[in-house]
Amino acid sequence: MKRAIRWELLFFDTLVYLICGLMILVLYPSAITVLTPLEVVAYMAVGWGLVTAARMIMHLYQRIWRYAGPEDYISLIAADTIATVLFLVMRAIVPNTITMMRAISMLASNLLGCIVIRLLYQYIYKSRAKDTKLEKVMLRLLKVFTGAAFADEKVNSNRIKIAIIGAGSIGTMLAEELLQNTRAIYEPVCFVDVDEGKVGREVYGIQVLNPGDNLKSDLQNRGVQEVVFALPNIPADKREALYKVYRDMGYKIKAYDAPTFGDKGKLHDFNIEDLLFRNPEDFLTEEIRNYYNNKSIMITGGGGSIGSELARQIAKCGPARLVLLDVYENGAYDIQQELLRKYPALNIRVEIMSVCDREMLEKVFELHTPDIVLHAAAHKHVPLMERNVIEAVRNNVFGTLNVVNACEKYGVGRFIMISTDKAVNPTNVMGATKRMCEMIVLSRRSSGTKYSATRFGNVLGSNGSVIPLFERQIAAGGPVTLTDKRIIRYFMTIPEATQLVMTSGAMAKNGELFVLDMGKPVKIIDLAESMIRLSGLEPGKDIQIVETGLRPGEKMYEELLVQGEKLGKTKNKKIFTEKDTPLSEAEVEDKLRILEEALATKSNRAVKKALKEVVPTYRAPEEINGAALEEKVQAGERETA
C-alpha cells in the first residue's frame, strides 16, 4: 500500500539543512579550506541528497511524528548516521575536499535541528488544550508555519477534567493517549499516587499528588470532575478501599483497562464487575487448553448464559467439534453466529431439542460421539419452579439422568455437570432438584465415564439474575425492589465461573463434587446502592429502594457446603472438593423410582412431597432462614462482647 509522504515536514527539514549547511560551510572559519560558491552548492546538494534518501528509505516521512516514540527517533539517528558515513566515504575519494570536522559538524547540527523541531511539534501538539499564553503563541506560530497540516486538528474545548489514580505505566499510558487525541472528552489534570518518589513531580506536564489529608481540596482546586482508576494489579481490598474514598468525595468513578494483545486500552464506567472487587484472572492454563483441544465437545443448554460462555471459552481451545444442544433456538443461534464470525474454521453444530427426549438425545450422541459433555441445561428460576414442580423434576432430574445414561452408552470420556449453591440445604424446588442431580452424578463411580459436578453461586449478568433487573429498574427511574435488605449472595463473573468449571472438569478423577471459591458474600442492598451511584444518582433520594418480602422458596443466606464439611484442596487455589459421602447407584435408583411414581400422579404437591423425601436436606425456607438469622445475631453478640 502506498504511504503518504509529509511534504511539509520534508520542507522544514530542508530549511534546517540549508541553515546548518550555510553556517558550517560559509560562516565557519577554516584556514585549511576556503570553499568557492560552486563547491558549497555541490557539497550541500550531495549531503542533502544522502540524508533525504536515507530518511526516505526508512520511511521517516510517512510517520506521524506527533505520536513519535523512542524507536522513531532512533530510526532518524540511524538514517542520518548512514548518510554521514557515506558522505565521509565520498569526502575521502574527492581531492581538495572539506575537513572531516566540517563534514561531521554540518550533518550532526542538521540532525540536532531536525530532532528539535520534531520534539517542539510534539510538545505543542500535546499542550494544545492548555490555556497558558506561551502555549497559545506557540500554537499560532505552529499553525502559521504548518498551514493545513495542523489547522484541521480542532481541540474539544469542553473536556471533562479527570484525576488519574495511579501514575504507573498504565496511568501514564492513559494520560498520553488522552493528550494526543484531539477529540477526547477527558483532560487529565493530575495524577494521584502513594509512591513518594513520584509525588510532587510531573508526567507529561501533569503533577502527581499525594493522597493525603488535603487531597479533596487539591482535586477541587484543579476542577476535577471525575476520577479514573488505572491500577490493574492492585489487590482487591485496596481497590475497594480506594473506591469508597472517592465515592464518599462525590466523584463519578471510571476504570481504565490496559491494552491487551490485539486490543486497545478501554476507559469505561466503574461497572458492576468492578464492584465485586475481585482480582481478574485467566484460569485457562496451557495444560487446560490442551485438554479440550482437538476433542469433540458437547454443551447442553449451550444457548444459555453459562452454556454460551462455555462455548466461547471452549472455542478458544480449538476443539475438533463443538456441539451446542438447547431447546431454545434463539440463544443457540446467537452464540453459533458469534463464534462463526470469530472462528470461521470452527466445526460447530447446533441441535435444537430437550434433554427430556431420551430417544432423540441418544441419536444426537450417536451422531456426534462427544468426548466431553458439559451439562448446563436446567430450569433455574426459583419462583417459577415453585409453581412448576413437575417440570422442574422432569427437566432437571430426569433430563440429567438421560444425559448421564447416554454418556455411558456411547462411551463419553468425561461428564461435567453445572450445579449451584442453592443445592446446599435447599429451601426450594430448584435447589432440591440440583441436589438430586449431584447425587446421580456422584453415584456413577463404577462407570467408564468420569463424572464430576461443579457448584458455584450467582453469576453477574446471567439471564434472569438480579443485576439486569436492577439496571432496568434504575433506567426506568425506580424503584429498585429487594425481597429483603438482609439478603446476601455470592457472585462471580460468567467468564470466571466457566473457566473454573472447565478447569475442575479437566482435573477430575471421578465422582468429585467441586466447589468454587466465590469470594466474599455480597449484601444485595449494598449492590443495589452501588449500582444506583454508578448511574450518577443517589439512593433514597433519586431512586427509592423498596422491600417486597422473600419470594416462595427463597433463602436469606446461600451456602456452598453440605452440613458444613471441610473442603479438600486442589492444585488450583480457587477450586476445592467437598468431602461428601456419595450414595450407591442402587440407592439413587430407589430415589428416582419414588420421583417417577410421583410424576405419574401429575400433581405438583405429590412431586414436591416426594422431592422432600429423596433429598433429606430439603427443608422449609422459614426453618433455614430463622436458624441463619439467629446464628447471625449470636455472632454479632459474641463480637460485641
Side-chain angles (χ1 to χ4, degrees), residues 247-270:
R247 181 198 66 187
D248 293 343
M249 286 185 188
Y251 287 111
K252 187 173 182 180
I253 301 170
K254 294 185 179 292
Y256 179 69
D257 295 334
T260 55
F261 182 74
D263 292 321
K264 296 181 178 180
K266 295 179 181 177
L267 179 61
H268 59 83
D269 288 334
F270 205 79

Short mmCIF file of all heavy atoms in Angstrom, two decimals, residues 247-270:
data_model
loop_
_atom_site.label_atom_id
_atom_site.label_comp_id
_atom_site.label_asym_id
_atom_site.label_seq_id
_atom_site.Cartn_x
_atom_site.Cartn_y
_atom_site.Cartn_z
N ARG A 247 -15.73 7.68 46.19
CA ARG A 247 -17.20 7.70 46.16
C ARG A 247 -17.73 8.65 47.23
O ARG A 247 -18.65 9.44 46.97
CB ARG A 247 -17.74 6.29 46.41
CG ARG A 247 -19.26 6.19 46.37
CD ARG A 247 -19.73 4.92 47.05
NE ARG A 247 -19.45 4.94 48.48
CZ ARG A 247 -19.62 3.90 49.29
NH1 ARG A 247 -20.06 2.75 48.82
NH2 ARG A 247 -19.34 4.00 50.58
N ASP A 248 -17.14 8.60 48.42
CA ASP A 248 -17.58 9.48 49.50
C ASP A 248 -17.26 10.94 49.22
O ASP A 248 -17.89 11.84 49.79
CB ASP A 248 -16.95 9.04 50.83
CG ASP A 248 -17.46 7.68 51.29
OD1 ASP A 248 -18.51 7.24 50.78
OD2 ASP A 248 -16.80 7.05 52.14
N MET A 249 -16.27 11.19 48.36
CA MET A 249 -15.97 12.56 47.95
C MET A 249 -17.01 13.07 46.94
O MET A 249 -17.04 14.26 46.64
CB MET A 249 -14.58 12.64 47.31
CG MET A 249 -13.43 12.54 48.29
SD MET A 249 -11.87 12.81 47.42
CE MET A 249 -10.69 12.40 48.71
N GLY A 250 -17.80 12.15 46.41
CA GLY A 250 -18.84 12.54 45.47
C GLY A 250 -18.44 12.47 44.01
O GLY A 250 -19.17 12.97 43.14
N TYR A 251 -17.29 11.84 43.71
CA TYR A 251 -16.83 11.78 42.32
C TYR A 251 -17.41 10.58 41.59
O TYR A 251 -17.57 9.50 42.18
CB TYR A 251 -15.30 11.71 42.26
CG TYR A 251 -14.63 13.02 42.60
CD1 TYR A 251 -13.90 13.16 43.78
CD2 TYR A 251 -14.74 14.11 41.75
CE1 TYR A 251 -13.29 14.36 44.10
CE2 TYR A 251 -14.13 15.32 42.06
CZ TYR A 251 -13.41 15.44 43.24
OH TYR A 251 -12.82 16.62 43.55
N LYS A 252 -17.69 10.77 40.31
CA LYS A 252 -18.03 9.65 39.46
C LYS A 252 -16.73 8.92 39.14
O LYS A 252 -15.72 9.54 38.81
CB LYS A 252 -18.70 10.12 38.17
CG LYS A 252 -19.22 8.98 37.31
CD LYS A 252 -20.02 9.49 36.13
CE LYS A 252 -20.57 8.33 35.31
NZ LYS A 252 -21.36 8.78 34.15
N ILE A 253 -16.76 7.60 39.24
CA ILE A 253 -15.53 6.81 39.14
C ILE A 253 -15.55 5.99 37.86
O ILE A 253 -16.54 5.35 37.52
CB ILE A 253 -15.39 5.89 40.36
CG1 ILE A 253 -15.37 6.73 41.64
CG2 ILE A 253 -14.12 5.04 40.26
CD1 ILE A 253 -15.47 5.93 42.91
N LYS A 254 -14.43 6.01 37.15
CA LYS A 254 -14.24 5.20 35.96
C LYS A 254 -13.02 4.31 36.15
O LYS A 254 -12.27 4.46 37.11
CB LYS A 254 -14.06 6.09 34.72
CG LYS A 254 -15.31 6.89 34.36
CD LYS A 254 -15.13 7.65 33.07
CE LYS A 254 -16.39 8.43 32.72
NZ LYS A 254 -17.51 7.55 32.38
N ALA A 255 -12.85 3.38 35.23
CA ALA A 255 -11.70 2.47 35.28
C ALA A 255 -11.08 2.40 33.89
O ALA A 255 -11.77 2.57 32.88
CB ALA A 255 -12.12 1.09 35.77
N TYR A 256 -9.78 2.14 33.86
CA TYR A 256 -9.07 2.02 32.59
C TYR A 256 -8.45 0.63 32.51
O TYR A 256 -7.68 0.23 33.38
CB TYR A 256 -7.98 3.09 32.48
CG TYR A 256 -7.18 3.03 31.20
CD1 TYR A 256 -7.77 3.35 29.98
CD2 TYR A 256 -5.84 2.66 31.20
CE1 TYR A 256 -7.05 3.30 28.80
CE2 TYR A 256 -5.10 2.61 30.03
CZ TYR A 256 -5.71 2.93 28.83
OH TYR A 256 -4.99 2.88 27.66
N ASP A 257 -8.84 -0.11 31.47
CA ASP A 257 -8.28 -1.44 31.24
C ASP A 257 -7.08 -1.30 30.33
O ASP A 257 -7.18 -0.72 29.24
CB ASP A 257 -9.31 -2.36 30.59
CG ASP A 257 -10.50 -2.62 31.51
OD1 ASP A 257 -10.30 -2.53 32.73
OD2 ASP A 257 -11.60 -2.90 31.01
N ALA A 258 -5.95 -1.85 30.76
CA ALA A 258 -4.73 -1.75 29.97
C ALA A 258 -4.89 -2.48 28.65
O ALA A 258 -5.65 -3.45 28.54
CB ALA A 258 -3.56 -2.35 30.76
N PRO A 259 -4.19 -2.02 27.61
CA PRO A 259 -4.28 -2.71 26.31
C PRO A 259 -3.81 -4.15 26.43
O PRO A 259 -2.87 -4.45 27.16
CB PRO A 259 -3.33 -1.89 25.42
CG PRO A 259 -3.16 -0.59 26.11
CD PRO A 259 -3.30 -0.86 27.56
N THR A 260 -4.48 -5.05 25.73
CA THR A 260 -4.04 -6.42 25.63
C THR A 260 -3.65 -6.69 24.20
O THR A 260 -3.84 -5.85 23.32
CB THR A 260 -5.17 -7.40 26.04
OG1 THR A 260 -6.33 -7.12 25.25
CG2 THR A 260 -5.51 -7.21 27.51
N PHE A 261 -3.07 -7.85 23.95
CA PHE A 261 -2.59 -8.17 22.62
C PHE A 261 -3.72 -8.08 21.60
O PHE A 261 -4.71 -8.78 21.70
CB PHE A 261 -2.00 -9.59 22.59
CG PHE A 261 -1.43 -9.97 21.25
CD1 PHE A 261 -0.22 -9.45 20.83
CD2 PHE A 261 -2.10 -10.84 20.41
CE1 PHE A 261 0.30 -9.78 19.60
CE2 PHE A 261 -1.59 -11.18 19.18
CZ PHE A 261 -0.38 -10.65 18.77
N GLY A 262 -3.58 -7.18 20.66
CA GLY A 262 -4.58 -7.03 19.62
C GLY A 262 -5.72 -6.08 19.96
O GLY A 262 -6.54 -5.78 19.11
N ASP A 263 -5.78 -5.63 21.21
CA ASP A 263 -6.86 -4.74 21.62
C ASP A 263 -6.30 -3.46 22.21
O ASP A 263 -5.22 -3.44 22.79
CB ASP A 263 -7.75 -5.41 22.67
CG ASP A 263 -8.54 -6.58 22.09
OD1 ASP A 263 -8.98 -6.45 20.95
OD2 ASP A 263 -8.69 -7.59 22.79
N LYS A 264 -7.06 -2.36 22.07
CA LYS A 264 -6.67 -1.09 22.65
C LYS A 264 -7.10 -1.03 24.11
O LYS A 264 -7.93 -1.81 24.57
CB LYS A 264 -7.32 0.07 21.88
CG LYS A 264 -6.86 0.20 20.43
CD LYS A 264 -7.54 1.38 19.76
CE LYS A 264 -7.05 1.54 18.32
NZ LYS A 264 -7.70 2.70 17.66
N GLY A 265 -6.52 -0.07 24.83
CA GLY A 265 -6.96 0.15 26.20
C GLY A 265 -8.38 0.69 26.21
O GLY A 265 -8.81 1.35 25.26
N LYS A 266 -9.11 0.42 27.28
CA LYS A 266 -10.51 0.82 27.34
C LYS A 266 -10.78 1.63 28.61
O LYS A 266 -10.47 1.18 29.71
CB LYS A 266 -11.42 -0.41 27.31
CG LYS A 266 -11.35 -1.18 26.00
CD LYS A 266 -12.26 -2.41 26.05
CE LYS A 266 -12.16 -3.20 24.73
NZ LYS A 266 -12.99 -4.43 24.80
N LEU A 267 -11.35 2.81 28.42
CA LEU A 267 -11.79 3.65 29.52
C LEU A 267 -13.30 3.48 29.64
O LEU A 267 -14.03 3.72 28.68
CB LEU A 267 -11.43 5.11 29.25
CG LEU A 267 -11.83 6.15 30.29
CD1 LEU A 267 -11.16 5.87 31.62
CD2 LEU A 267 -11.47 7.55 29.82
N HIS A 268 -13.76 3.04 30.79
CA HIS A 268 -15.18 2.74 30.93
C HIS A 268 -15.68 3.09 32.33
O HIS A 268 -14.88 3.29 33.26
CB HIS A 268 -15.44 1.26 30.66
CG HIS A 268 -14.68 0.33 31.57
ND1 HIS A 268 -15.11 0.00 32.84
CD2 HIS A 268 -13.51 -0.33 31.40
CE1 HIS A 268 -14.25 -0.81 33.40
NE2 HIS A 268 -13.27 -1.03 32.56
N ASP A 269 -16.98 3.17 32.46
CA ASP A 269 -17.57 3.40 33.77
C ASP A 269 -17.19 2.27 34.72
O ASP A 269 -17.04 1.12 34.30
CB ASP A 269 -19.10 3.48 33.68
CG ASP A 269 -19.57 4.76 33.03
OD1 ASP A 269 -18.83 5.75 33.10
OD2 ASP A 269 -20.66 4.77 32.43
N PHE A 270 -17.02 2.60 35.98
CA PHE A 270 -16.76 1.59 37.00
C PHE A 270 -18.00 0.71 37.04
O PHE A 270 -19.05 1.13 37.51
CB PHE A 270 -16.53 2.28 38.35
CG PHE A 270 -15.71 1.48 39.31
CD1 PHE A 270 -14.34 1.44 39.20
CD2 PHE A 270 -16.32 0.77 40.33
CE1 PHE A 270 -13.58 0.72 40.10
CE2 PHE A 270 -15.57 0.05 41.23
CZ PHE A 270 -14.19 0.01 41.12
#
